[in-house]
Amino acid sequence: MTRLMGLDVGDKTIGVAVSDELGWTAQGVETIKRQSKEKDFARLQELIAQYQVEAIVVGLPKNMNGTIGPRAELCQTFGKLLQEKTSLPVHMWDERLTTMAAERMLISADVSRQKRKTVIDKMAATLILQGYLDAKSR
């Protein structure tokens, strides 16, 4: 099995998660504070090497009616650029409501608002990757 990386791409941050070697579970790794495309991709390359990632799953924030809006177009562009820079397969995964689900989970776990802000993107990346892994195992 190959190790996968899941990404929740935002304007200010990129949430990062990786799968275990068997491809069963996703774990949050970090939240990258976006600085520039060069620095963002350099950090992703470091994580890809560190975790020996062989494919990447990028969250695709579709509209509730399933259409692709401006935010999703930006994520598709990011995914294409990431594929060019890493030569790894990049899969887009419908991530509707993952950030809201992550927020609800953190609130129910009684995580403070300040702490939630620092982990929400990493948690969303974990949910994106876990959703992809679960769908592939069926």
Side-chain angles (χ1 to χ4, degrees), residues 3 5 7 16 18 29-30 32 35 37-53 56 82 85-86 88:
R3 186 170 252 186
M5 174 180 280
L7 301 177
V16 182
V18 295
V29 173
E30 74 176 68
I32 299 170
Q35 298 174 16
K37 280 184 181 171
E38 295 76 25
K39 288 182 180 180
D40 298 345
F41 285 115
R43 181 62 187 142
L44 287 170
Q45 289 275 31
E46 290 170 2
L47 292 169
I48 288 165
Q50 178 182 345
Y51 290 98
Q52 300 173 338
V53 170
I56 302 167
L82 187 60
K85 293 208 176 274
T86 63
L88 293 175

Side-chain angles (χ1 to χ4, degrees), residues 3-116:
R3 186 170 252 186
L4 304 177
M5 174 180 280
L7 301 177
D8 179 43
V9 180
D11 291 329
K12 297 179 181 177
T13 60
I14 301 171
V16 182
V18 295
S19 69
D20 64 334
E21 289 89 351
L22 298 174
W24 291 349
T25 62
Q27 298 86 33
V29 173
E30 74 176 68
T31 299
I32 299 170
K33 296 228 184 289
R34 298 198 68 178
Q35 298 174 16
S36 68
K37 280 184 181 171
E38 295 76 25
K39 288 182 180 180
D40 298 345
F41 285 115
R43 181 62 187 142
L44 287 170
Q45 289 275 31
E46 290 170 2
L47 292 169
I48 288 165
Q50 178 182 345
Y51 290 98
Q52 300 173 338
V53 170
E54 296 181 30
I56 302 167
V57 179
V58 176
L60 183 65
K62 290 183 179 180
N63 295 321
M64 290 311 291
N65 65 4
T67 60
I68 302 292
R71 179 85 236 145
E73 288 175 358
L74 288 171
C75 289
Q76 287 176 320
T77 301
F78 183 90
K80 287 177 187 162
L81 191 56
L82 187 60
Q83 190 164 355
E84 289 171 14
K85 293 208 176 274
T86 63
S87 300
L88 293 175
V90 173
H91 309 281
M92 303 306 293
W93 185 252
D94 185 353
E95 66 148 298
R96 282 178 277 188
L97 304 179
T98 54
T99 301
M100 288 173 55
E103 180 87 17
R104 278 196 305 275
M105 289 170 69
L106 292 168
I107 288 170
S108 68
D110 204 26
V111 176
S112 72
R113 183 183 307 267
Q114 184 65 29
K115 179 75 171 160
R116 281 196 312 263

